[in-house]
Amino acid sequence: MKILIAEDDLSFRRFMEKKLTAWGFEAVIAEDGNEALQILQSDDSPRLALLDWIMPGLEGVEVCRIVREKKEEAYKYIIMLTSQRRDSDIITGMEAGADDYIMKPFKHNELRLRLRAGRRIIELQNELLAARDMFRTKASHDALTGLWNHGEIVEILSHELARAKREKNSVGVIMADIDFFKKINDTHGHLAGDMVLRLTAGKMLSMMRAYDFIGCYGGEEFLVILPECSLEYASAFAERLRLSVSSDSIDTPEGMISITLSFGVAASSNDRLKDAYSLINAADKALYRAKENGRNCVEVAPADGAMA
């Protein structure tokens, strides 16, 4: 774990660097308060800090106060090193946001124990953040494929449509459906069907741009959102998806399974297709027509969203 040492005394700084390295820390050095603040506000900054109270530039207590005002999610555990012994000074340091303080001169084992407590607090917060992120992912993603779930992908579409309206852009939408998926489940079993869903989702996801979105709309249906895309581009992209997915069979424990997909495409290029429901409905009708026309093809909704 990285630890910041902010200390203007060269000999003491070198001694602390050597000692902390021996205890398994990666020491980051600051010679004054301004440098300490810059390091603590940088990307991938140390989560543990030893700040001398009295330093050139900003004093340690001021560095601590500024860091706390930012209210970062990744908590920084700050220990003040001080020769101040008045109760009022100690209270000032703690009110500025210091987590602990240690009086100079101090015993090495005392500092080591306090650093151990600080490191444990940082590790516990990391575990809490990881658990929170895991629950967020479970709430917003499909458990089988890892794609956005139905509610999230529709919400994303609403946000993208609102942004497109402000910026006078178009949003392309693709509805994709695995052909004869029930037959795959009936013939090869649901475990093989699950693998088909998962690997198909992964292949399509790999073809997305960094700012595209794909989610599970329901069953074996996928919804693809293409910001800043015309109807023509969305249609061409759907065709690339179709060719890519159908070009290789999927290797499952039940044997190789060949699959195809049908696609319906629409775009928010006019007032009639201006909300998520209308756009999805237009793409879904185009998908239905692709199914009627023999599957394994791309059908495009008319520019006005109407379908015969």
Side-chain angles (χ1 to χ4, degrees):
M1 180 178 287
K2 290 197 294 187
I3 182 170
L4 172 66
I5 309 168
E7 170 64 57
D8 61 312
D9 185 277
L10 177 61
S11 59
F12 184 74
R13 190 169 66 238
R14 286 178 174 173
F15 170 78
M16 288 297 299
E17 182 179 7
K18 183 177 180 181
K19 184 65 66 176
L20 291 168
T21 301
W23 292 344
F25 292 98
E26 179 187 346
V28 179
I29 306 301
E31 298 181 8
D32 58 50
N34 294 330
E35 186 180 5
L37 180 61
Q38 184 178 9
I39 291 171
L40 288 173
Q41 292 182 332
S42 65
D43 295 335
D44 194 30
S45 63
R47 302 279 299 281
L48 275 173
L50 290 171
L51 303 182
D52 193 20
W53 186 300
I54 300 176
M55 291 185 289
L58 292 170
E59 291 191 336
V61 68
E62 287 301 318
V63 173
C64 185
R65 183 175 290 112
I66 294 170
V67 169
R68 294 299 182 232
E69 286 174 353
K70 194 174 180 182
K71 293 182 170 58
E72 295 179 288
E73 182 177 66
Y75 191 76
K76 292 178 173 63
Y77 193 91
I78 299 175
I79 300 176
M80 300 295 301
L81 301 175
T82 180
S83 300
Q84 312 283 350
R85 296 186 177 274
R86 294 180 302 178
D87 289 345
S88 59
D89 292 323
I90 295 170
I91 291 171
T92 297
M94 301 303 282
E95 287 181 344
D99 297 285
D100 202 353
Y101 68 92
I102 189 166
M103 298 286 190
K104 293 180 177 179
F106 50 80
K107 295 179 180 179
H108 301 161
N109 284 338
E110 180 185 3
L111 176 61
R112 189 174 186 179
L113 288 173
R114 297 195 182 200
L115 288 175
R116 184 181 297 171
R119 176 157 56 183
R120 182 58 181 152
I121 286 173
I122 296 300
E123 289 171 347
L124 286 171
Q125 198 215 17
N126 288 341
E127 292 173 7
L128 287 172
L129 290 176
R132 183 204 62 185
D133 291 343
M134 179 188 68
F135 285 121
R136 281 181 176 175
T137 298
K138 285 186 175 181
S140 61
H141 288 71
D142 175 67
L144 177 63
T145 64
L147 302 181
W148 297 105
N149 62 27
H150 177 97
E152 288 295 321
I153 195 66
V154 173
E155 185 69 19
I156 289 169
L157 177 56
S158 295
H159 286 307
E160 288 300 317
L161 286 171
R163 186 166 68 88
K165 184 178 180 180
R166 292 194 303 271
E167 298 175 1
K168 294 180 170 48
N169 285 323
S170 178
V171 177
V173 163
I174 301 171
M175 290 290 293
D177 184 87
I178 299 176
D179 297 327
F180 302 111
F181 186 71
K182 183 178 185 301
K183 185 177 179 181
I184 293 173
N185 278 331
D186 292 343
T187 304
H188 301 282
H190 288 278
L191 290 178
D194 286 349
M195 183 169 289
V196 166
L197 277 172
R198 187 165 56 250
L199 295 180
T200 300
K203 181 169 253 188
M204 289 198 293
L205 179 63
S206 70
M207 297 179 66
M208 302 291 139
R209 300 171 301 177
Y211 48 91
D212 294 334
F213 304 91
I214 178 171
C216 291
Y217 192 73
E220 63 276 14
E221 284 189 327
F222 303 95
L223 176 60
V224 177
I225 301 171
L226 306 172
E228 301 178 22
C229 279
S230 66
L231 187 62
E232 292 75 17
Y233 179 93
S235 176
F237 185 71
E239 180 62 17
R240 292 202 300 274
L241 288 174
R242 186 189 70 81
L243 291 172
S244 176
V245 172
S246 62
S247 63
D248 298 309
S249 297
I250 294 177
D251 189 3
T252 76
E254 302 302 319
M256 303 297 290
I257 300 176
S258 298
I259 69 163
T260 61
L261 273 74
S262 298
F263 295 86
V265 181
S268 62
S269 56
N270 61 82
D271 290 338
R272 187 166 182 176
L273 299 180
K274 62 183 179 179
D275 61 77
Y277 173 79
S278 299
L279 196 55
I280 291 172
N281 189 49
D284 198 44
K285 288 180 178 178
L287 171 62
Y288 185 75
R289 191 167 69 179
K291 294 287 187 180
E292 287 186 325
N293 290 341
R295 296 180 169 84
N296 190 25
C297 62
V298 176
E299 289 291 338
V300 180
D304 62 1
M307 299 292 289

